[in-house]
Amino acid sequence: MNAPATGLARPPLKPLDDALAELLAQARPLEGTDDVDTFEADGRVLALDAVSPLRVPPHDNSAMDGYAVRRADVAAAGASLAAELPVSQRIAAGSAPQPLEPGTAARIFTGAPMPPGADAVCMQEDCEALEGGARVRIQAVPQPGQWVRRAGEDIETGATVLAAGTRLTPAALGLAASIGLARLRVARRPRVALFSTGDELVMPGEVPPERMPPGAIYNSNRFFLRAMLQRLGCEVSDVGIVPDRRDATQQALADAAAAHDLVLTSGGVSVGEEDHVKPAVAALGRIDLWQVAIKPGKPFAYGRIGEHVHFMGLPGNPVSSLVTFAILVRPFLLRLQGVQDAAPRAVQARANFQWPRADKRREFLRVRRGADGGLELFPNQGSGVLTSAAWGDGVVDNPPGRTIAQGDTVRFIPFADLLA
């Protein structure tokens, strides 16, 4: 908070890892769940374990088009001779085979159930159909179990295939469908009120560029924040732009808190005379966290409006707002929905740039992968340069006090993970 008039120093900036741990400790999963069609569950968070009532596959089946055989019948011809067997049945996927008669082969197709008695499949490339398909010449002796998918080799009856807290992906939806789940119990969507502060903000379409008043800027934050909230499965109420007045800010916060789980603001949380959000929240509840040792994004704030509604205040500069959302707000919202492993993950990558200016704060540098897999740095790392985020495909998570030399190994976090 602001230093008191006595001249006492401000508290030190909160290290990012400590700030994130404090936030996640406050993010208790929301009460209530939704029952949704599996077709509509992409991106939602599973509220109950998905337990399989059956085996997948339910029966031994062929992994290839070819011929189901008793291996001993083929081996009997000898290693140097081709085995010729009559074809006793044709088995397509979805059919019920008869037991395989000794000394015969069954024409079989991918996914079709294995006939009782067969213990291998010879793929059709190793076979020659004779007499219009009535017989088959098998050119190679199969290994035991060759090209056979065993019943239950993917999923056994009673297995938990998706644990509660899993954020559902297209592959997860297919997995749920494979065990017969037409509907899924998922966490309730967080209800988020979003608004921006600043008399300088203008919405695109309201004023053409050639008529913009002096000092006015278009409100870009509102667009990318709303999009990121929706990608995280939130129900978003866009409150709009709140004037730079304490009474208007406090009223907007109180109104937003009435029907939401989180109030998210952009701007107004720094130390200027026109930064009214933080004192307005303090008047309605409390501020628990303010100023984090990251660059960009230091003025981030967290608190409560009343006892139960979370508040998060993002800086007004667009890159600061985007970075703090990705690093701090995104894990918080996922944890509200029951996701436990929500913190962003970095991978090792090579720097194709130099960063000779060490900072005392943890930095997030906008970069993108080059053709050789190394990372290229956007030349202007200013917190107001949104071009850097649109140009880049991720950030370098650079520890405090560290310079970067060409060829150094750095921690890279892709935007594909941060903004998903």
Side-chain angles (χ1 to χ4, degrees):
M1 296 184 183
N2 292 342
T6 58
L8 295 176
R10 275 189 208 130
L13 301 180
K14 180 78 69 174
L16 175 58
D17 288 341
D18 294 347
L20 183 56
E22 291 182 16
L23 287 175
L24 294 180
Q26 297 294 325
R28 308 285 172 78
L30 298 171
E31 295 182 359
T33 59
D34 295 328
D35 184 64
V36 299
D37 190 301
T38 301
F39 272 125
E40 307 300 326
D42 185 34
R44 303 295 294 270
V45 177
L46 202 60
L48 297 174
D49 290 347
V51 178
S52 180
L54 76 168
R55 295 188 300 178
V56 179
H59 42 64
D60 291 355
N61 69 89
S62 177
M64 287 283 180
D65 290 346
Y67 294 85
V69 297
R70 297 174 187 268
R71 181 177 179 275
D73 291 337
V74 181
S80 61
L81 300 175
E84 291 188 13
L85 301 173
V87 176
S88 56
Q89 58 180 308
R90 182 180 185 276
I91 311 169
S95 62
Q98 299 297 314
L100 184 65
E101 299 175 13
T104 72
R107 181 69 167 120
I108 196 167
F109 299 91
T110 303
M114 291 288 291
D119 57 12
V121 172
C122 299
M123 64 180 181
Q124 62 187 23
E125 289 83 353
D126 292 334
C127 302
E128 180 185 357
L130 306 172
E131 300 175 15
R135 297 180 63 81
V136 61
R137 177 180 293 128
I138 299 173
Q139 311 284 4
V141 178
Q143 296 299 313
Q146 178 175 292
W147 302 122
V148 177
R149 300 185 184 122
R150 296 301 181 189
E153 72 174 26
D154 186 9
I155 301 168
E156 284 289 353
T157 303
T160 298
V161 299
L162 295 166
T166 299
R167 193 169 181 217
L168 296 167
T169 62
L173 299 184
L175 185 57
S178 76
I179 61 172
L181 300 183
R183 302 189 68 81
L184 296 169
R185 180 71 62 177
V186 296
R188 174 172 69 79
R189 295 182 185 274
R191 296 187 290 261
V192 181
L194 171 66
F195 64 82
S196 306
T197 66
D199 291 339
E200 76 279 13
L201 297 177
V202 174
M203 284 297 291
E206 292 180 351
V207 180
E210 65 273 12
R211 295 182 184 174
M212 286 283 279
I217 58 173
Y218 288 120
N219 185 357
S220 60
N221 295 16
R222 187 172 172 183
F223 287 82
F224 65 72
L225 290 175
R226 178 172 175 163
M228 290 192 292
L229 287 168
Q230 290 173 331
R231 285 190 177 195
L232 288 168
C234 299
E235 295 180 2
V236 184
S237 300
D238 193 334
V239 179
I241 301 171
V242 177
D244 278 332
R245 300 196 321 270
R246 178 73 59 83
D247 60 339
T249 302
Q250 189 165 323
Q251 187 62 55
L253 289 167
D255 292 345
H260 295 90
D261 305 300
L262 168 66
V263 177
L264 182 68
T265 66
S266 173
V269 291
S270 192
V271 295
E273 294 181 3
E274 297 301 320
D275 291 323
H276 300 300
V277 173
K278 190 165 66 69
V281 172
L284 295 169
R286 66 181 192 268
I287 294 290
D288 296 324
L289 171 66
W290 180 54
Q291 296 201 331
V292 181
I294 60 174
K295 182 180 181 180
K298 179 182 73 172
F300 174 86
Y302 169 80
R304 296 282 183 116
I305 300 172
E307 288 298 319
H308 304 294
V309 179
H310 301 284
F311 161 78
M312 287 184 163
L314 307 181
N317 280 323
V319 179
S320 300
S321 188
L322 187 147
V323 167
T324 50
F325 185 100
I327 301 297
L328 294 166
V329 181
R330 178 181 181 273
F332 184 87
L333 287 167
L334 290 175
R335 182 64 65 85
L336 286 183
Q337 297 175 77
V339 177
Q340 292 301 309
D341 189 12
R345 295 181 180 179
V347 297
Q348 301 296 307
R350 185 184 69 255
N352 285 352
F353 63 88
Q354 295 181 354
W355 187 251
R357 305 183 299 276
D359 196 281
K360 62 182 179 181
R361 290 176 283 167
R362 189 164 163 182
E363 299 175 284
F364 290 90
L365 309 173
R366 277 77 70 202
V367 296
R368 72 178 178 189
R369 287 191 182 273
D372 64 353
L375 301 178
E376 302 170 354
L377 183 74
F378 193 78
N380 188 341
Q381 291 289 315
S383 61
V385 183
L386 193 55
T387 310
S388 64
W391 171 91
D393 56 18
V395 293
V396 166
D397 179 359
N398 194 40
R402 178 179 174 180
T403 60
I404 300 173
Q406 184 95 12
D408 280 355
T409 298
V410 295
R411 289 166 46 85
F412 173 65
I413 309 176
F415 281 145
D417 294 340
L418 284 176
L419 306 181

